[in-house]
Amino acid sequence: DAGVIQSPRHEVTEMGQEVTLRCKPISGHNSLFWYRQTMMRGLELLIYFNNNVPIDDSGMPEDRFSAKMPNASFSTLKIQPSEPRDSAVYFCASSSLGIEQFFGPGTRLTVL
Amino acid sequence: AQSVAQPEDQVNVAEGNPLTVKCTYSVSGNPYLFWYVQYPNRGLQFLLKYITGDNLVKGSYGFEAEFNKSQTSFHLKKPSALVSDSALYFCAVRASNRDDKIIFGKGTRLHILP
């Protein structure tokens, strides 16, 4: 199994631009999670899906952030417009039966 | 509400010595407990979990953790530390009767000194 796949691995963009992060969960996993990691705030859960349905988006910082999961094998996290304070490493993780989560390698986002 | 506490930001251990990384938790009902490790510029890797059964859980890379219900703790241990164990370690908890959300601690940076 290839594990959780995220793209791009690095993204550098300018303030105000739209950013789209992509995630392919492990085949057969029914839960998907988006996290953000920064030095200041540590690891934060942004949103998670169960069977493609958003269950808890209380961690999404503001309306500039949105996430979708159109099918069981793909999810996106979009930031529009992006701001320098959005600079972080964004992780996607998936799990089966709600037990341990398996993390992707992350996308390092830099907003200038 | 569920919560996890990792009281030490950093732990320093000499190579070859035993190591302990502390974790305490708060959850309603029975807990599912996890340890993850993060190496530089990598995602979190699952190390071990406690769901039910034996309180001593063995995981990857020679690590183990002991579930202590009375002290609500789940400390990570290894009998003999390696320099390659240096990394960021996260404890996490989920209530067994709740949804899929796992609560992560803030992490403990482990430095193994050669």
Side-chain angles (χ1 to χ4, degrees), chain B residues 11-105:
Chain B
V11 172
N12 297 322
V13 177
E15 186 177 24
N17 283 2
L19 69 87
T20 298
V21 183
K22 296 179 180 177
C23 172
T24 59
Y25 67 90
S26 174
V27 69
S28 299
N30 295 321
Y32 290 167
L33 293 156
F34 310 87
W35 276 100
Y36 288 80
V37 60
Q38 185 180 30
Y39 298 101
N41 301 313
R42 301 287 294 276
L44 278 70
Q45 295 179 34
F46 170 74
L47 269 182
L48 52 81
K49 68 180 182 228
Y50 171 82
I51 301 297
T52 187
D54 194 346
N55 289 345
L56 184 64
V57 178
K58 295 187 182 297
S60 306
Y61 312 122
F63 283 94
E64 59 188 27
E66 186 167 12
F67 170 60
N68 188 317
K69 188 172 184 177
S70 62
Q71 297 186 5
T72 61
S73 67
F74 190 57
H75 302 331
L76 182 69
K77 300 182 179 184
K78 187 173 182 180
S80 179
L82 300 173
V83 172
S84 57
D85 293 330
S86 298
L88 185 59
Y89 289 81
F90 291 92
C91 182
V93 68
R94 197 204 110 182
S96 60
N97 58 349
R98 290 288 302 275
D99 57 26
D100 296 341
K101 186 164 62 176
I102 292 177
I103 305 300
F104 284 85

Side-chain angles (χ1 to χ4, degrees), chain A residues 9 31 33 35 37 43 45 48 50 55-56 58 91 97-105 108, chain B residues 32 34 36 38 41-46 49 51 88 90 94 99-102 104-106 109:
Chain A
R9 292 295 308 277
S31 296
F33 306 80
Y35 292 88
Q37 186 178 37
L43 190 67
L45 176 65
Y48 80 95
N50 194 28
I55 302 300
D56 184 346
S58 60
F91 290 105
L97 303 178
I99 310 299
E100 65 266 32
Q101 295 178 15
F102 294 87
F103 282 71
R108 183 174 296 276
Chain B
Y32 290 167
F34 310 87
Y36 288 80
Q38 185 180 30
N41 301 313
R42 301 287 294 276
L44 278 70
Q45 295 179 34
F46 170 74
K49 68 180 182 228
I51 301 297
L88 185 59
F90 291 92
R94 197 204 110 182
D99 57 26
D100 296 341
K101 186 164 62 176
I102 292 177
F104 284 85
K106 62 179 175 58
R109 190 162 297 280

Side-chain angles (χ1 to χ4, degrees), chain A residues 67-84:
Chain A
K68 294 182 179 180
M69 192 165 185
N71 56 62
S73 59
F74 183 67
S75 177
T76 60
L77 178 68
K78 185 175 294 186
I79 308 173
Q80 166 63 17
S82 58
E83 297 183 3

